[in-house]
């Protein structure tokens, strides 16, 4: 079928991951032209090349052609294969950049995926591994992707610019996904979090925790923030500290926020007290936005709804991020699927910002490469 499907063509370097992931799942070939063609240093960056190599590792029989300047990419997807793999991510982006896309692909492999990713675990650009572990894994469970083997384990932390972190991601395969009705976020019952520090004084973590609790204690008593100080080889190659917080509601919705210190040698030094306060404020901002899925995982939730059985799925989201809006356009091009989008004003919902109710009928995607045992 892949040979007959018409090739989709795009221009520009934006949303490269979305396009490659959706092309792989839909089996449609893809051509991207004019990737940074006008810049002094044209073509794909090292982190994008590393991402393409990762896609090549998890699939079998993909054809990838890149011209000499790296400004044109042709991709004909193969079958998602999976298995036990290793990948060295580029230190210019976080592991989260790669992991977000693997979370979309992992349930549809032939063999369950076990992959070791090395690089930067926490930075200021991409969602950190801690946040994906706390928010994306419970989201996958809602769609019926669960079991012993669904796990993200942080073996070593790595901060930018040099990285040196290592994580293990394991995910079982599923033949079909369950449709979800996920429209009531519920009230917040507890806040959990991690304050981590590597190659700096372990006291930094405690200082962040105290200042974050100073703000959050005004709202609810059940707050526990773990301190995580890694030593020796497990602390990577660069110093740094940071914090990620998650708020959990009575209905199992998890909202998250995070902050990391400036990389060594870049920008002003950040005080741990300020970082803790700002992270707590970001969490409150995320709670205000609300919805049943936080802003980092909106596109993952919409993709899993699209690929569900031919049944209605509903999810209530906070305001859509620009990335999610573009993702909806890509879903329409690759899978011909449209969502029904209803806005809910704060008066109807009695709290927080404007909400969006997304409804769709799944395309009945079936994982044909899964081996039948």
């Amino acid at each position: 079928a892949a040979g007959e499907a018409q090739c989709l063509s795009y221009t520009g370097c934006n949303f490269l991951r979305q396009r490659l992931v959706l092309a792989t799942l839909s089996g449609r070939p893809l051509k991207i032209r004019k990737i940074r063609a006008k810049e002094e240093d044209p073509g794909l960056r090292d982190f994008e090349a590393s991402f393409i190599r990762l896609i090549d590792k998890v699939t079998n029989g993909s054809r990838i052609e890149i011209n000499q300047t790296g400004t044109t990419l042709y991709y004909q997807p193969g079958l998602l294969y999976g298995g036990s793999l290793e990948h060295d991510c580029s230190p210019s982006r976080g592991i989260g950049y790669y992991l977000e896309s693997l979370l979309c692909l992992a349930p549809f492999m032939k063999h369950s995926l076990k992959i070791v990713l090395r690089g930067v675990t926490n930075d200021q650009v991409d969602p950190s591994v801690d946040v994906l572990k706390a928010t994306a894994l419970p989201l996958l469970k809602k769609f019926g992707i669960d079991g012993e083997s669904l796990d993200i384990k942080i073996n070593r932390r790595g901060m930018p610019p040099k990285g040196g972190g290592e994580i293990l991601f394991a995910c079982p395969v599923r033949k079909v996904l369950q449709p979800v009705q996920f429209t009531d976020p519920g009230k917040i019952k507890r806040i959990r979090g991690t304050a981590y520090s590597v190659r700096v004084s372990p006291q930094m973590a405690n200082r962040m925790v105290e200042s974050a609790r100073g703000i959050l204690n005004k709202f609810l008593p059940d707050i526990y923030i773990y301190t995580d100080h890694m030593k020796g080889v497990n602390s990577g190659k660069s110093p740094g500290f940071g914090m990620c917080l998650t708020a959990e509601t009575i209905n199992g919705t998890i909202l998250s926020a995070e902050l990391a210190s400036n990389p060594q040698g870049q920008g002003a030094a950040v005080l741990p007290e300020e970082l803790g306060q700002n992270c707590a404020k970001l969490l409150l901002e995320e709670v205000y936005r609300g919805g049943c899925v936080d802003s980092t995982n909106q596109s993952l939730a919409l993709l899993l709804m699209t690929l569900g059985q031919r049944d209605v799925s509903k999810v209530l989201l906070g305001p859509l991020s620009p990335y999610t809006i573009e993702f909806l356009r890509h879903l329409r091009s690759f899978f011909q699927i449209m969502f029904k989008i209803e806005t809910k004003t704060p008066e109807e919902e009695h709290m927080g910002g404007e909400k969006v109710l997304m409804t769709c009928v799944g395309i009945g995607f079936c994982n044909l490469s899964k081996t039948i045992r």
Side-chain angles (χ1 to χ4, degrees), residues 100-224:
E100 272 187 304
S101 298
L102 282 178
L103 285 162
C104 299
L105 296 171
F108 309 106
M109 304 274 176
K110 184 177 175 73
H111 302 291
S112 55
L113 183 68
K114 279 192 186 62
I115 187 164
V116 174
L117 298 171
R118 296 190 187 88
V120 174
T121 53
N122 304 78
D123 70 353
Q124 296 175 317
V125 191
D126 300 296
S128 69
V129 180
D130 302 83
V131 158
L132 290 174
K133 178 175 181 169
T135 58
L137 294 191
L139 181 63
L140 287 175
K141 285 180 181 155
K142 296 238 167 31
F143 286 89
I145 305 160
D146 56 354
E148 303 292 294
S149 54
L150 179 67
D151 190 27
I152 294 175
K153 195 166 158 217
I154 303 171
N155 298 332
R156 298 177 182 176
R157 279 193 191 280
M159 300 291 287
K162 290 189 183 138
E166 178 180 296
I167 68 143
L168 173 74
F169 170 50
C171 182
V173 287
R174 286 289 172 266
K175 193 145 178 71
V176 286
L177 298 181
Q178 298 166 359
V180 292
Q181 303 289 324
F182 204 28
T183 52
D184 180 19
K187 297 246 188 310
I188 287 179
K189 65 172 177 183
R190 63 173 175 211
I191 290 176
R192 293 286 177 268
T194 311
Y196 57 86
S197 55
V198 292
R199 298 190 171 267
V200 292
S201 154
Q203 209 51 45
M204 295 284 195
N206 302 341
R207 284 162 64 184
M208 285 188 285
V209 171
E210 268 175 37
S211 61
R213 290 190 68 113
I215 290 183
L216 297 172
N217 270 339
K218 296 173 192 166
F219 299 100
L220 80 168
D222 186 2
I223 299 171
Y224 197 86

Side-chain angles (χ1 to χ4, degrees), residues 3-113:
E4 291 131 39
Q6 75 270 35
C7 182
L8 285 155
S9 74
Y10 289 102
T11 54
C13 63
N14 286 348
F15 312 108
L16 178 84
R17 289 181 303 161
Q18 292 188 19
R19 290 166 182 169
L20 287 173
V21 164
L22 292 174
T24 311
L25 288 169
S26 62
R28 297 179 67 175
L30 171 70
K31 187 158 196 174
I32 304 177
R33 297 188 184 80
K34 295 184 185 162
I35 301 173
R36 301 193 179 89
K38 295 272 196 300
E39 293 190 23
E40 286 175 15
D41 180 14
L44 293 163
R45 295 277 175 269
D46 57 347
F47 60 87
E48 292 165 332
S50 175
F51 180 76
I52 293 167
R53 279 196 290 278
L54 176 63
I55 292 280
D56 195 34
K57 278 182 191 170
V58 297
T59 58
N60 184 6
S62 294
R63 247 181 74 202
I64 300 167
E65 293 168 15
I66 302 172
N67 70 351
Q68 274 187 317
T69 50
T71 52
T72 308
L73 163 71
Y74 174 74
Y75 172 62
Q76 188 168 358
L79 294 173
L80 282 162
Y81 194 75
S84 294
L85 300 165
E86 291 188 3
H87 185 68
D88 292 325
C89 307
S90 159
S92 49
R93 292 297 287 263
I95 289 179
Y97 177 83
Y98 303 87
L99 193 55
E100 272 187 304
S101 298
L102 282 178
L103 285 162
C104 299
L105 296 171
F108 309 106
M109 304 274 176
K110 184 177 175 73
H111 302 291
S112 55
L113 183 68

Side-chain angles (χ1 to χ4, degrees), residues 277-298:
Q277 280 182 344
N278 292 342
C279 193
K281 285 175 185 164
L282 279 175
L283 184 69
L284 298 177
E285 172 73 25
E286 192 65 53
V287 170
Y288 174 78
R289 292 175 61 123
C292 294
V293 180
D294 66 349
S295 44
T296 30
N297 294 305
Q298 285 177 348

